[in-house]
């Protein structure tokens, strides 16, 4: 038995991998400790799909190396995307690291660690075959008990020209519906109130399976669990079907929230990005979504400064944002990634210009979001309470059905009492740029509403 310290970097999908590592290590009777100084084994599950993530991962590894320099008996294991992407460079450049494990090694990590502890040499670099997690693997949640991620696929077949994910994570592999159901039922029994379905492209779910797609999966989750909120994240625009929208409209337990990374709105730029839709289709998707789901909250991300993007194409995004007034918008500045198809494209935009464009759009969105938030003033929203606010002990904090965890604003509650994990009714009394403020009011008809169709 060893003590270990685990650092998890990157997105929610990587966090699920970390939760599997945690599950396997605790099941093998290893002991989790709070600080690297207390641990025999220092583990870091890395992200590495863009340069800022690579830099963050290297910094964190070097921090662990500094601990090991002080206590040479400690062992360091580096796991995940960074290893999958830069395997040989890392092995050569970081001799202090005892074990490097690729993205497919998280579930079986405890076995590798056992070998290392026993002095058997699993090799410094372990890159297991492509695989897929399943519900039989022990998993320990790191999120609050009322909220969890459900990773429905691994990998991606889309090959957007700026993205390293397909080469790091491999091709699309969907988990069978029954396997996901078993995990979801267990999570529900553990008290999960909000289950967010995640993937590299959630709308691709089931393309590699017979007889399964996202609506089928959602129907099964609705029938076999009583989780009050099911949330869909990472929907590729052209993968959102009328059937999916109707299903959301007809089932209150699927929150009216669509996370649709659009990346751009200029047709030539979208083509160069190898994204398989055009502005006209995005506009029609927004119109149909709002028609079928009048209260839908729409989130997207844009990538600016892509090679060949001129001022007019960049400003087309601002025009689009002003015209369609999306609820939540993230903007990222393009940067070349070694090995990506876009790296060799003509018309590279200087980094400082890409950052200027990003900042401009973020300012535009701040203005639009503030106006958008005002629509909630005076309304009563269902809110999942997270606990005392990180800002001040005087407030509670939670999120409405229109706000996703981690990425969107929140609801501050300044009147009323509730426990973390409670679903309460909050009357909105104030709105800020991204956040709302309100007071708890009596629950009139919420219980009755829970399982009824929106109609
Ligand atoms: S859909 Fe997402 S994960 Fe897949 S290649 Fe495109 S950007 Fe990368």
């Amino acid at each position: 038995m060893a003590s270990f310290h685990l650092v998890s970097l990157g997105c929610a999908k990587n966090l699920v991998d970390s939760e599997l590592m945690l599950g396997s290590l605790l099941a093998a009777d290893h002991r989790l400790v709070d600080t690297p100084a207390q641990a025999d084994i220092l583990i870091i599950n890395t992200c590495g799909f863009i340069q800022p993530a690579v830099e963050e991962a290297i910094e964190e590894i070097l921090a662990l190396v500094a601990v090991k320099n002080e206590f040479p008996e400690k062992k360091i294991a580096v796991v995940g995307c960074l290893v999958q992407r830069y395997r040989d460079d890392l092995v050569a450049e970081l001799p202090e690291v005892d074990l490097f494990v690729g993205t497919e090694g998280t579930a079986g990590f405890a076995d590798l660690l056992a070998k290392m502890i026993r002095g058997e040499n699993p090799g410094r670099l372990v890159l297991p075959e492509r695989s897929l997690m399943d519900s039989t693997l022990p998993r320990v949640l790191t999120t609050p008990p009322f909220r969890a991620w459900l990773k429905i696929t691994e990998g991606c077949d889309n090959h957007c020209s700026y993205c390293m994910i397909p080469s790091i994570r491999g091709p699309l592999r969907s988990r069978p519906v029954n396997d996901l159901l078993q995990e979801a039922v267990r999570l529900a029994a553990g008290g999960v109130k909000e289950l967010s379905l995640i993937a590299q492209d959630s709308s691709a779910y089931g393309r590699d399976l017979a007889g399964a797609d996202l609506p089928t999966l959602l129907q099964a989750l609705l029938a076999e669990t009583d989780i009050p909120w099911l949330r869909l994240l990472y929907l590729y625009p052209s993968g959102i079907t009328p059937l999916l929208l109707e299903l959301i409209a007809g089932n209150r337990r699927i929150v009216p929230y669509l996370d649709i990374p659009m990346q751009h709105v200029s047709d030539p730029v979208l083509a160069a990005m190898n994204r398989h839709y055009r502005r006209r289709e995005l506009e029609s998707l927004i119109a149909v979504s709002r028609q079928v789901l009048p209260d839908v909250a729409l989130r997207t991300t844009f990538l600016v400064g892509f090679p060949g993007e001129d001022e007019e194409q960049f400003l087309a995004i601002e025009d689009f944002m002003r015209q369609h007034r999306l609820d939540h918008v993230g903007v990222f500045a393009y940067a070349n990634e070694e090995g990506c198809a876009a790296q060799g494209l003509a018309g590279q935009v200087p980094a400082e210009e890409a950052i200027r464009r990003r900042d401009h759009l973020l300012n535009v969105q701040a203005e639009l979001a503030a106006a958008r938030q005002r629509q909630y003033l005076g309304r009563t929203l269902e809110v999942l309470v997270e606990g005392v606010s990180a800002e001040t002990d005087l407030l509670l904090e939670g999120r409405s059905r229109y706000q996703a965890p981690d990425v969107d604003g929140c609801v501050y509650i300044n009147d009323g009492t509730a426990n973390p994990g409670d679903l309460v009714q909050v009357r909105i009394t104030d709105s800020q740029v991204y956040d709302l403020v309100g007071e708890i009011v009596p629950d009139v008809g919420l219980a009755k509403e829970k399982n009824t169709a929106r109609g």
Side-chain angles (χ1 to χ4, degrees):
M1 190 184 98
S3 58
F4 67 96
H5 177 72
L6 175 62
V7 177
S8 186
L9 302 176
C11 64
K13 289 151 278 188
N14 215 37
L15 186 65
V16 173
D17 290 347
S18 296
E19 292 175 342
L20 292 173
M21 288 169 66
L22 197 50
S24 76
L25 290 168
L26 294 177
D29 284 337
H30 298 303
R31 189 165 50 87
L32 177 66
V33 293
D34 291 335
T35 66
Q38 298 168 295
D40 302 322
I41 318 280
L42 314 177
I43 307 165
I44 178 164
N45 187 18
T46 58
C47 174
F49 89 114
I50 54 172
Q51 282 314 302
V54 171
E55 284 158 23
E56 184 192 10
I58 297 289
E59 252 175 54
E60 293 280 347
I61 294 168
L62 292 178
L64 297 184
V65 167
V67 177
K68 180 167 176 167
N69 286 341
E70 211 178 326
F71 304 99
E73 69 283 2
K74 293 185 190 297
K75 302 223 178 282
I76 301 181
V78 177
V79 187
C81 289
L82 188 78
V83 178
Q84 201 75 30
R85 184 172 179 189
Y86 290 114
R87 49 194 85 170
D88 298 332
D89 293 344
L90 293 173
V91 170
E93 298 294 326
L94 291 167
E96 302 88 346
V97 173
D98 300 274
L99 180 63
F100 291 99
V101 183
T103 50
E104 312 300 323
T106 45
F109 186 76
D111 293 339
L112 290 169
L113 198 66
K115 280 188 188 162
M116 195 169 76
I117 292 169
R118 287 198 300 266
E120 295 167 27
N121 185 3
R124 267 188 82 217
L125 175 63
V126 182
L127 297 172
E129 299 272 295
R130 294 286 179 208
S131 61
L132 192 55
M133 70 170 286
D134 67 61
S135 60
T136 64
L137 296 168
R139 175 182 172 194
V140 172
L141 294 190
T142 55
T143 46
F146 49 84
R147 178 172 279 152
W149 310 106
L150 186 68
K151 182 147 75 159
I152 60 174
T153 73
E154 188 56 88
C156 183
D157 286 344
N158 289 334
H159 297 283
C160 304
S161 64
Y162 53 84
C163 182
M164 288 301 295
I165 295 287
S167 69
I168 296 174
R169 289 277 174 174
L172 173 73
R173 286 102 72 204
S174 304
R175 294 174 60 191
V177 171
N178 277 341
D179 184 54
L180 287 164
L181 272 184
Q182 284 182 28
E183 186 172 10
V185 166
R186 203 163 53 227
L187 290 168
V192 165
K193 303 269 182 69
E194 177 177 12
L195 186 66
S196 295
L197 278 57
I198 54 171
Q200 266 78 32
D201 167 7
S202 296
S203 50
Y205 175 77
R207 275 184 207 150
D208 55 330
L209 299 175
D213 57 15
L214 192 53
T216 320
L217 172 61
L218 284 166
Q219 275 162 331
L221 290 169
L222 287 167
E224 302 297 330
T225 77
D226 58 359
I227 297 172
W229 289 8
L230 299 172
R231 188 181 297 278
L232 300 174
L233 299 176
Y234 310 113
L235 295 160
Y236 193 90
S238 52
I240 301 172
T241 60
L243 179 64
L244 179 63
L245 295 176
E246 293 294 342
L247 188 65
I248 300 171
N251 292 278
R252 196 180 183 282
R253 286 167 51 207
I254 311 175
V255 297
Y257 180 100
L258 296 173
D259 169 34
I260 314 170
M262 297 178 190
Q263 308 304 8
H264 218 282
V265 303
S266 155
D267 291 355
V269 180
L270 285 169
M273 287 178 164
N274 197 31
R275 303 282 291 182
H276 305 293
Y277 50 86
R278 299 297 171 253
R279 176 173 179 148
R280 188 169 27 86
E281 284 142 7
L282 291 175
E283 295 189 317
S284 137
L285 175 62
I286 292 170
V288 172
S289 300
R290 284 181 168 155
Q291 188 186 353
V292 179
L293 299 163
D295 62 339
V296 71
L298 295 173
R299 156 168 275 278
T300 197
T301 48
F302 291 119
L303 182 61
V304 294
F306 190 77
E309 179 194 68
D310 61 23
E311 187 72 9
E312 193 181 331
Q313 290 164 335
F314 153 62
L315 289 174
I317 302 180
E318 179 180 349
D319 168 69
F320 186 94
M321 287 165 64
R322 290 192 183 282
Q323 198 179 333
H324 297 289
R325 296 179 178 261
L326 305 170
D327 300 82
H328 311 282
V329 175
V331 188
F332 298 91
Y334 171 84
N336 274 324
E337 288 299 329
E338 200 182 336
C340 282
Q343 191 186 11
L345 293 179
Q348 297 279 327
V349 176
E352 53 282 11
E353 174 59 14
I355 289 166
R356 180 193 72 80
R357 293 178 187 182
R358 178 199 65 189
D359 292 348
H360 176 74
L361 291 188
L362 286 173
N363 286 334
V364 169
Q365 179 57 20
E367 170 200 330
L368 297 173
R372 193 84 192 138
Q373 293 282 84
R374 285 197 282 278
Q375 71 174 306
Y376 296 113
L377 279 175
R379 283 178 59 186
T380 297
L381 305 181
E382 189 182 20
V383 170
L384 178 56
V385 177
E386 294 171 356
V388 173
S389 167
E391 301 292 316
T392 162
D393 288 357
L394 300 175
L395 300 173
L396 291 174
E397 193 174 310
R399 283 188 166 74
S400 77
R401 296 152 60 79
Y402 310 104
Q403 296 166 320
D406 291 354
V407 286
D408 297 333
C410 67
V411 179
Y412 293 112
I413 300 169
N414 60 12
D415 194 10
T417 54
N419 293 312
D422 284 352
L423 280 167
V424 296
Q425 297 287 294
V426 175
R427 194 174 70 83
I428 302 302
T429 54
D430 192 12
S431 71
Q432 301 164 353
V433 176
Y434 302 112
D435 303 318
L436 298 168
V437 182
E439 59 196 12
I440 294 179
V441 293
D443 179 352
V444 184
L446 172 63
K448 193 182 75 191
E449 263 187 314
K450 259 184 191 157
N451 287 308
T452 54
R454 195 180 284 113

